[in-house]
Amino acid sequence: MTSEADLLLRQGISQYQTGEFELALQSWQQALNLYRSSQNFKREGAALGNLGAAYQALGNIPQAIVCFQQHLEIAQKTQDATGEMNALANIGNAYLASAEYVRAIEYWQKLLAIVPAQGDRLQEGQILNSLRQAYTSLGELTQASKYQQQQLAIARELLNSAIATDFVSSLEAIGLDPTQDLVGADLSQFDLRNASLSRANLEGANLSGADLTLADLSRANLSGACLVRAKLSNANLRDANLSHADLSDADLRAILPRVNLSSANLSRTNLSSAYLQNANLQGANLNDTLLQQADLNGVNFSHANLNAANLTRAELNQVKVETTRFVNVVGISAQMKLEFQQQGAIFEDSMGDRQPIST
C-alpha cells in the first residue's frame, strides 16, 4: 500500500511540474488516502502539503490553507521539524497570495522563531525577505527596514563563508534585488570590490568606509548616499547619480563621465587623474579636493566652491564656471584665471577679498 502511495505521490509531482494541476490533485488525494489507511503520518503530511500546493495553483486559497494547516498539525505531533517549517512557510505564502499580510506575518514569525536552530542562514534570510515584503505592503517601513538590515547582515555572512561568489549573488540568494531593495541600506564598511551594481538604487544608503574598488556602479542612483572615506578607485560610475552625496575623504579616482555630483560634498576627496568629462558639479563643495591631472573637460562647475583645491595639470576645456568660487586654488594659470573671470567665476585671495570680474 505504501509503495503504491509513493508511486502516486511521485506521479503527482510530475503532473504538477508540467502544469497538470487537476491531475496532480487527484494523484495526491489518492496517495493521501492510502497513507492514512497505513497510518504513515510523515508521508500523510507530505501529501497534504502537496495537495495544498495544487489547490493554491488552481486558485483555491482557502482549501490550500486547510491542507497546509493539517500538515502543520501532523508535523508538530510527530516532531517533524522540516515538515513544520514547510507547513508554516506554505501557510504564510498562501496568506500573502490573498493579500492577508497580517496573517502571513503571524506564520512567518513562527517560522523565524524555529529556523535559527536549524543553522540555515540562507533560509533565514529568505524568511526575513518575506517579512520585509509583507511589512512594506502594510506601509510599515520602519519594521521593513529592520528586516532589511538583518538580511544584509546575512548577505555579508554568505559572502564571507563563500556560499555566494559575490555580493550581488548573496543578495539575490535571500531575495534582495539591488536595483530596488537597497534604498537607505546600511552598507558601511562592506567589502564590495568588483560588485556588479549597475543601475542599483542606493539612494540614501550608508556606504561610509565601504570598499567599492573596481565596482560597476554605472547608472546607479546614489543620490544622498553617505560615501565618507569610501574606496572607489577604478570604479565605473558612468552616468551615475551622486547628487547631494557625501564623498568627503573618499578615493574617487574613478571613471565618471556624465556623473551627477551636483551639490555633493567632495571635501578632501581624491579625484586625481579621474575621468570626469561632462560631469555635473553644480553647487558641489570641493574644499581641499585633489583634481590634479583629472579630465574635467565639459564639466559644469557653476555655483561650486573650490577652496584650496588642486587643479595642477587638469584638463579644463569648455567648463562652466558661473559664480564658481576659486579660493587659494592651485594649478590655475593667469590666463585661465582671466578666462574664468570673464565667464563669471569669482576668485578670492587668502584674506577673502573678492577680485573684480573683468568685462
Side-chain angles (χ1 to χ4, degrees):
M1 187 177 292
T2 298
S3 60
E4 183 183 353
D6 289 344
L7 182 62
L8 285 164
L9 192 71
R10 288 194 295 271
Q11 178 178 289
I13 292 171
S14 297
Q15 291 163 335
Y16 183 89
Q17 290 173 340
T18 56
E20 298 173 281
F21 304 127
E22 290 282 5
L23 292 176
L25 189 69
Q26 294 172 22
S27 297
W28 286 331
Q29 184 63 61
Q30 292 176 51
L32 174 63
N33 295 337
L34 292 171
Y35 287 136
R36 280 176 172 168
S37 297
S38 61
Q39 294 190 316
N40 189 332
F41 298 115
K42 188 170 183 180
R43 286 295 198 180
E44 179 184 346
L48 281 164
N50 288 348
L51 267 177
Y55 277 119
Q56 186 166 340
L58 290 166
N60 191 342
I61 303 292
Q63 190 59 44
I65 291 173
V66 169
C67 292
F68 294 144
Q69 287 282 10
Q70 291 176 7
H71 181 198
L72 177 61
E73 291 169 9
I74 291 172
Q76 289 173 335
K77 286 179 183 178
T78 59
Q79 297 183 323
D80 176 7
T82 300
E84 182 179 3
M85 289 190 295
N86 288 338
L88 287 168
N90 285 334
I91 296 169
N93 290 333
Y95 279 123
L96 176 66
S98 56
E100 294 184 64
Y101 303 117
V102 174
R103 297 300 306 275
I105 288 169
E106 176 188 344
Y107 284 91
W108 284 327
Q109 290 282 17
K110 290 177 181 178
L111 179 57
L112 188 62
I114 61 176
V115 164
Q118 308 301 313
D120 190 339
R121 294 290 275 165
L122 181 59
Q123 185 178 12
E124 186 177 348
Q126 293 165 346
I127 297 164
L128 289 167
N129 188 59
S130 297
L131 284 163
R132 179 181 62 83
Q133 290 180 339
Y135 276 111
T136 300
S137 298
L138 289 169
E140 297 184 29
L141 302 184
T142 300
Q143 193 67 21
S145 178
K146 168 188 162 186
Y147 289 116
Q148 177 202 49
Q149 291 306 127
Q150 292 179 38
Q151 281 185 277
L152 291 172
I154 290 175
R156 191 200 298 254
E157 285 183 30
L158 296 177
L159 187 60
N160 291 340
S161 62
I163 291 176
T165 55
D166 57 63
F167 181 64
V168 172
S169 67
S170 70
L171 291 177
E172 292 174 344
I174 56 174
L176 284 171
D177 181 351
T179 63
Q180 59 186 20
D181 294 332
L182 296 179
V183 175
D186 185 359
L187 299 168
S188 55
Q189 307 300 322
F190 262 57
D191 183 351
L192 299 171
R193 287 173 292 179
N194 299 292
S196 299
L197 293 166
S198 179
R199 300 178 186 273
N201 190 351
L202 291 152
E203 182 178 1
N206 180 8
L207 287 149
S208 58
D211 190 345
L212 288 150
T213 304
L214 291 167
D216 182 5
L217 289 156
S218 56
R219 299 183 184 276
N221 181 10
L222 290 145
S223 176
C226 177
L227 290 139
V228 175
R229 296 183 299 280
K231 299 175 183 176
L232 291 141
S233 178
N234 294 311
N236 180 6
L237 286 150
R238 191 182 306 271
D239 299 299
N241 180 10
L242 286 133
S243 61
H244 300 276
D246 188 351
L247 290 136
S248 52
D249 298 295
D251 183 350
L252 200 55
R253 294 173 294 169
I255 303 166
L256 300 145
R258 298 176 301 281
V259 68
N260 182 2
L261 285 159
S262 59
S263 301
N265 181 9
L266 294 156
S267 298
R268 301 173 303 280
T269 301
N270 187 354
L271 281 155
S272 303
S273 302
Y275 185 77
L276 280 152
Q277 274 198 8
N278 301 308
N280 181 4
L281 280 87
Q282 280 187 288
N285 181 2
L286 293 148
N287 289 340
D288 296 302
T289 303
L290 300 178
L291 289 156
Q292 59 264 47
Q293 300 184 67
D295 185 343
L296 303 172
N297 292 321
V299 169
N300 186 351
F301 283 111
S302 300
H303 315 295
N305 181 23
L306 286 88
N307 187 348
N310 190 335
L311 290 160
T312 303
R313 293 192 297 281
E315 296 182 40
L316 289 158
N317 299 313
Q318 297 181 321
V319 296
K320 296 179 181 179
V321 289
E322 182 184 356
T323 66
T324 305
R325 293 180 67 250
F326 291 85
V327 184
N328 299 324
V329 173
V330 177
I332 296 288
S333 66
Q335 179 61 36
M336 187 176 294
K337 177 179 177 181
L338 178 60
E339 291 176 5
F340 284 178
Q341 284 179 316
Q342 290 173 339
Q343 295 173 43
I346 300 167
F347 282 81
E348 299 179 16
D349 62 20
S350 58
M351 299 301 291
D353 296 326
R354 297 191 178 189
Q355 298 182 7
I357 300 174
S358 302
T359 57

